[in-house]
Amino acid sequence: MGSPLLFLITLLCFIQSLFVVSHNLSKSSTICKTTPDPKYCKTVFPHSQGNVQQYGRFSIRKSLSQSRKFIRTVDRHLKRNAHVSPPAVTRALQDCRFLAGLTMDYLLTSFETVNDTSASLKTLSFPKADDVQTLLSAALTNEQTCLEGLTTAASSSATWTVRNGVALPLVNDTKLFSVSLALFTKGWVPKKKKRAGFAWAHPRSGTSTHTKPFRLFRNGALPLKMTERTKAVYESLSRRKLADGDSNGDGDDGSMVLISDIVTVIQDGTGNFTNITAAVAAAPNNTDGSGGFFLIYVTAGIYEEYVSIAKNKRYVMMIGDGINQTVVTGNRSVVDGWTTFNSATFAVTAPNFVAVNMTFQNTAGPEKHQAVALRSGADFSIFYSCSFEAYQDTLYTHSLRQFYRECDVYGTVDFIFGNAAVVFQNCNLYPRKPMPNQFSAITAQGRSDPNQNTGTSIQNCTIKPADDLVFSNYTVETYLGRPWKNYSRTVIMESYIDGFVEPVGWREWNGDFALSTLYYAEYNNIGPGSNTTNRVTWPGYHVINSTDAANFTVTGLFLEDDWIWKTGVPYISGLIS
């Protein structure tokens, strides 16, 4: 038997360990105070005790389980009701099935990441934490997109089974996803980097770092402004890369773009394919990008087709012969029975998609209301020297991280909308002639949760009326944006704003909805419409300084810019001045 002294020391050590454990653990009621809906959060952890990261892992795992269950529910409804439900309801369910599959991917990746980290230490790097926060933000956006589509489509009493069997359970799933996002933000996102309306700023943000624009392909081997005369160049180039070599001989000096394969789309049959859809189908599946982009050269022509870049068609680069030369066009609309989500003429889901020198259209017209020209829910998607032309809901920046450079966007109501983390740089935004007695709003950002790291940043752009609006015979009220969701977030900075924009700048969505929770800001804009003297006085509106504006630059919003740099697309990483 040991000595009394040894027993006492052992007992004291045990008591101390209990104190340390209890000090690091919290009841669910304490942890849940940090979430948007504490009451619901406590139902997720009714009698448990742990630290925020343990709660976070449990919540994400439960979200993953609920997502699997939801997929089975949607599949069951599609199987039973496909032939009896109205087409609009079936399409909404198909959207939900598509989005739920993506959500499963996002949640699985998120759970694998947080499950590999220490229970007591924050071991995620800045980029890795941003990746997971981005995926959880997108998962929540997917749920709400599904719910909105179902709510709109299933508005009649004949579809009560869809509302009760699919839409209502989805409401609780959305709350659960919000809890997961909140706990991850508290448990893993560095607190010291939270400021100015975004989760954190990159160490380089706040500086005026300029990345020197350079040609898409080195040494002029394939000029960016492609024409029919460059076709012969394709036939003489390496099948591995569009370059004449490099100083190191390893193809990785940063001055060129690696290409794994090249196909051409020519409508007269002299190329590899006559339509874009067939060319996309030929792209390899699930590549990691190490071998380069699969390049699709789409020659001049009017392509009347609905194109979808599926999630497994990674690292596709599509280059046309120029704006208004290579045109992809369609006319689906909500009025004609499509959901806003699936009305898109061109839709991208696959990561690392790049489009250059193309026009995307939806010609349904203003009387058909929501009619999307392009929808991107593709992480690290880039559009350079492209045009997007429609009326209401032209460009759907749905989710994840996106970059637009030297693009033209035409529309009327909410014509740039969605909930991505997106930067528009050196673009032209053209409000056009709407229907009589209709106003125009350039943006309708859809951030619905305070922990989503999303927002629309418009930098060094030009906001001017389209020609049809200039010559319109009636007055059109035009606004910089309006809050689609509670935490809508849009920043316009270092841009030219013409005088046709209303002096108040921004418009309400419905009464005082979101006016105190949104984040709208302007910084260092010029032009007759940039005067902020008579702007709205909402609690969420700000005229910001350079420190805050730096959070909305490329490196401030995305943290890393290698994914843009590797494509050869020119960009500025920080503030212009």
Side-chain angles (χ1 to χ4, degrees), residues 10 30 44 46 94-95 109 119 276 312 341 377 382 392 424 430 453 502 509 555 561:
T10 303
T30 302
V44 179
Q94 289 169 341
D95 287 352
T109 299
I276 299 170
N312 61 336
F341 187 81
I382 298 174
Q392 183 171 346
F424 291 86
Y430 293 115
N453 59 350
E502 292 294 310
W509 185 271
T555 50
D561 52 15

Side-chain angles (χ1 to χ4, degrees), residues 164-451:
N164 293 344
V166 183
L168 290 181
L170 190 59
V171 172
N172 278 341
D173 288 355
T174 301
K175 292 180 181 179
L176 177 62
F177 286 18
S178 178
V179 168
S180 296
L181 176 59
L183 295 179
F184 177 82
T185 302
K186 180 174 177 59
W188 280 275
V189 174
K191 294 181 180 179
K192 293 182 180 180
K193 298 300 178 182
K194 297 176 183 176
R195 58 177 182 168
F198 270 95
W200 69 70
H202 188 273
R204 282 191 289 168
S205 67
T207 64
S208 298
T209 304
H210 293 253
T211 299
K212 182 179 179 181
F214 53 92
R215 298 178 68 83
L216 183 59
F217 301 109
R218 198 174 69 124
N219 296 333
L222 183 58
L224 188 58
K225 296 294 184 182
M226 298 174 64
T227 66
E228 213 34 53
R229 290 178 296 177
T230 66
K231 181 174 178 290
V233 177
Y234 280 95
E235 300 169 359
S236 62
L237 290 172
S238 162
R239 302 296 288 180
R240 290 290 300 168
K241 59 191 177 184
L242 296 180
D244 295 333
D246 59 85
S247 57
N248 300 320
D250 60 3
D252 192 28
D253 70 345
S255 61
M256 64 181 183
V257 178
L258 290 178
I259 300 298
S260 63
D261 205 353
I262 305 165
V263 297
T264 59
V265 180
I266 306 177
Q267 290 179 320
D268 66 8
T270 59
N272 301 103
F273 303 97
T274 59
N275 63 78
I276 299 170
T277 300
V280 171
N285 296 331
N286 297 316
T287 60
D288 62 4
S290 59
F293 288 90
F294 181 84
L295 177 59
I296 301 173
Y297 173 31
V298 187
T299 59
I302 307 297
Y303 294 84
E304 297 181 4
E305 55 180 308
Y306 295 94
V307 180
S308 179
I309 313 295
K311 66 180 182 180
N312 61 336
K313 299 296 181 179
R314 298 166 176 260
Y315 291 93
V316 168
M317 179 178 288
M318 191 174 293
I319 301 181
D321 271 332
I323 291 175
N324 296 329
Q325 298 299 310
T326 299
V327 180
V328 189
T329 186
N331 61 3
R332 290 175 177 170
S333 69
V334 169
V335 170
D336 288 337
W338 301 89
T339 64
T340 301
F341 187 81
N342 62 32
S343 71
T345 301
F346 198 103
V348 189
T349 307
N352 299 94
F353 174 80
V354 182
V356 183
N357 291 347
M358 298 182 68
T359 290
F360 305 94
Q361 289 181 342
N362 189 314
T363 60
E367 67 279 359
K368 293 299 180 73
H369 299 288
Q370 297 95 330
V372 176
L374 183 137
R375 184 191 80 235
S376 178
D379 208 11
F380 304 131
S381 52
I382 298 174
F383 298 86
Y384 178 35
S385 189
C386 291
S387 181
F388 308 91
E389 302 173 4
Y391 290 86
Q392 183 171 346
D393 291 3
T394 301
L395 179 55
Y396 196 172
T397 57
H398 182 264
S399 55
L400 302 167
R401 290 163 284 199
Q402 307 177 26
F403 179 65
Y404 295 76
R405 171 81 180 198
E406 295 173 30
C407 292
D408 299 334
V409 191
Y410 295 82
T412 55
V413 180
D414 308 333
F415 65 91
I416 297 173
F417 75 113
N419 194 26
V422 56
V423 174
F424 291 86
Q425 197 172 87
N426 294 33
C427 294
N428 298 306
L429 311 182
Y430 293 115
R432 63 194 305 185
K433 179 182 176 181
M435 292 187 293
N437 302 315
Q438 197 175 43
F439 65 88
S440 285
I442 296 170
T443 65
Q445 205 281 329
R447 181 171 173 259
S448 62
D449 190 283
N451 294 297

